[in-house]
């Protein structure tokens, strides 16, 4: 008969006596464990990093696929007002896209604050409880996600109507429509607000929709200085791509970021009143863009020898 072992809780300070000297370095070295719970691919940038206007953050990271800035605040005890205040400061001043608060447990009060922050749709906020156990003489750690951003397709109580919440409502059916047609959105914490991003199968390269100068856009973006060779090879097919897209494409290169995009002709005067036809334009043009450029992208990636991103963020 298979022997089954019970979980024996262990105090967090038995594993990490000091929060800053023990827990923070361990968490920074094991971001993959935290990322697995959040469905994010996290890359460490530094610990105890000073951000102008926001103060010192425990851990600074990047979301691998979108390069979104991730600020992680961690503690060994229960959620408290001091850490919550720092998190609010990061939300206001750190120019972060994703905030993660790790603690032993969270009060209903602090959960409600984090859920309120998520209403803005400008920033993604996560609360994660950490537990330690002794199993067959071995110490193990477990993460439990207790607060996360609202996901496409979910329903919730009515929220205050702002530009950000309006975009969230506008994009929800757009994202669901594209998902059903095989264009998968980048995982939790991807571009928010005016933008949404979708997977290509390659790290740091993705399709996106958004609004520029009041006009809807559909684009393929390559992010990072390491994408220069890929973009250069991709431009060798520019004539064919432009022809297949009826000459409506624009190609941009700026500081390690590269785009091929299509822009709608009709401008939107009121960002709080976008016609339904705009959502239809976005879905049609993103699918058309993917249909045209994906074969060329696959060809370029095969020639360069860059593997597909098996760790692409799940939705």
């Amino acid at each position: 008969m298979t022997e089954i072992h019970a979980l024996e809780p262990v105090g967090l300070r038995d594993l990490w006596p000091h929060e800053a000297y023990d827990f923070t370095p361990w968490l920074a070295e094991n971001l993959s464990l935290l990322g697995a719970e959040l469905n994010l691919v996290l890359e460490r940038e530094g610990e105890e990093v000073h951000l102008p206007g926001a103060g010192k953050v425990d851990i600074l990271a990047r979301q691998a696929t979108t390069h979104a800035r991730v600020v992680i605040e961690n503690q060994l005890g229960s959620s408290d007002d001091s850490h919550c205040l720092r998190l609010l400061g990061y939300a206001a001043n750190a120019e972060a896209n994703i905030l993660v608060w790790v603690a032993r447990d969270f009060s209903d009060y602090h959960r409600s604050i984090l859920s309120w922050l998520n209403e803005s749709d400008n920033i993604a906020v996560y609360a994660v409880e950490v537990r330690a156990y002794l199993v067959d003489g071995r110490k193990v750690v477990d993460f439990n996600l207790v607060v996360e951003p609202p996901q496409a397709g979910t329903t919730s109580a009515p929220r205050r109507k702002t530009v950000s919440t309006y975009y969230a409502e506008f994009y929800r059916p757009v994202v669901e429509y594209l998902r059903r047609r095989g264009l998968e959105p980048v995982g939790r914490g991807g571009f928010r607000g005016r933008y949404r991003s979708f997977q290509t199968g390659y790290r740091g390269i993705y399709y996106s929709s958004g609004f520029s100068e009041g006009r809807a856009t559909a684009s393929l973006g390559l992010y990072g200085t390491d994408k220069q060779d890929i973009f250069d090879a991709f431009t060798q097919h520019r004539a064919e791509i432009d022809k297949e897209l009826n000459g409506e494409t624009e190609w941009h290169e700026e500081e390690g970021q590269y785009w091929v995009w299509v822009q709608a002709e009709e401008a939107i005067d009121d960002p709080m009143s976008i016609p339904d036809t705009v959502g239809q334009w976005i879905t049609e043009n993103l699918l058309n863009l993917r249909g045209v450029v994906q074969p060329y992208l696959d060809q370029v990636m095969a020639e360069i020898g860059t593997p597909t991103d098996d760790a692409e963020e799940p939705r």
Side-chain angles (χ1 to χ4, degrees):
M1 182 175 180
T2 302
E3 186 176 358
I4 300 176
H5 299 276
L7 294 176
E8 181 182 341
V10 175
L12 297 183
R13 292 192 181 276
D14 291 336
L15 269 67
W16 307 286
H18 195 280
E19 187 174 290
Y21 300 148
D22 300 308
F23 185 45
T24 299
W26 178 88
L27 186 59
E29 289 286 345
N30 291 274
L31 285 183
S32 61
L33 299 179
L34 178 61
E37 178 64 24
L38 305 181
N39 279 345
L40 299 176
V41 180
L42 301 178
E43 296 178 344
R44 181 179 62 172
E45 291 208 341
E47 305 159 38
E48 302 294 332
V49 178
H50 180 79
L51 296 180
K56 186 183 294 184
V57 303
D58 289 338
I59 300 172
L60 183 64
R62 289 280 178 183
Q63 184 180 353
T65 305
T66 64
H67 299 280
R69 172 179 279 181
V70 182
V71 168
I72 301 172
E73 178 74 5
N74 58 258
Q75 62 179 119
L76 289 172
S78 300
S79 62
D80 56 37
D81 290 342
S82 174
H83 285 81
C84 187
L85 183 61
R86 285 203 290 272
L87 203 75
L88 291 173
Y90 302 151
N93 302 302
E95 297 183 0
N97 305 95
I98 303 170
L99 299 180
V100 182
W101 185 2
V102 180
R104 184 182 65 200
D105 49 63
F106 287 85
S107 67
D108 291 340
Y109 172 69
H110 292 132
R111 291 191 194 195
S112 68
I113 292 176
L114 302 185
S115 296
W116 172 76
L117 280 176
N118 274 324
E119 287 186 4
S120 71
D121 198 50
N122 285 328
I123 195 166
V125 183
Y126 298 85
V128 184
E129 293 180 339
V130 58
R131 294 284 194 276
Y133 301 95
L134 192 64
V135 181
D136 194 23
R138 296 183 178 182
K139 295 176 181 177
V140 298
V141 176
D142 180 50
F143 292 105
N144 179 39
L145 181 63
V146 295
V147 174
E148 63 179 315
Q151 303 300 308
T154 60
T155 57
S156 58
R159 302 184 293 175
R160 291 177 293 279
K161 187 174 182 180
T162 66
V163 172
S164 295
T165 57
Y166 179 83
Y167 279 125
E169 294 300 319
F170 167 79
Y171 269 119
R172 185 167 290 119
V174 171
V175 171
E176 285 303 303
Y177 180 89
L178 291 170
R179 176 188 278 122
R180 290 195 299 270
R181 279 149 185 81
L183 194 54
E184 296 288 349
V186 171
R188 299 167 180 169
F191 282 179
R192 300 165 71 81
R194 294 180 297 160
Y195 303 95
R196 289 299 183 275
S197 50
F198 302 85
Q199 299 175 17
T200 65
Y202 304 100
R203 180 177 298 235
I205 305 175
Y206 51 92
Y207 300 105
S208 64
S209 62
F211 294 89
S212 176
E213 298 180 352
R215 288 179 168 83
T217 63
S219 64
L220 172 75
L222 299 84
Y223 286 76
T225 55
D226 61 323
K227 303 301 187 299
Q228 179 73 61
D229 291 343
I230 298 173
F231 186 72
D232 289 344
F234 198 64
T235 56
Q236 300 302 311
H237 302 283
R238 179 170 181 173
E240 302 101 296
I241 291 172
D242 286 350
K243 181 179 180 180
E244 292 183 51
L245 291 172
N246 299 318
E248 299 176 351
T249 56
E250 297 182 32
W251 297 62
H252 297 274
E253 177 178 352
E254 181 181 352
E255 298 181 354
Q257 298 183 13
Y258 316 91
W259 301 279
V260 180
W261 72 4
V262 180
Q263 184 166 277
E265 294 183 1
E266 184 178 354
I268 299 168
D269 297 326
D270 183 1
M272 295 281 281
S273 181
I274 302 175
D276 292 340
T277 53
V278 174
Q280 182 178 352
W281 183 94
I282 288 175
T283 57
E284 290 177 353
N285 281 272
L286 271 178
L287 291 172
N288 187 40
L289 183 68
R290 180 188 62 169
V292 171
V293 307
Q294 188 71 38
Y296 293 105
L297 178 61
D298 292 339
Q299 180 181 334
V300 166
M301 300 303 279
E303 292 170 351
I304 292 178
T306 303
T308 56
D309 182 12
D310 293 332
E312 186 81 44
E313 293 176 28
R315 52 207 180 276

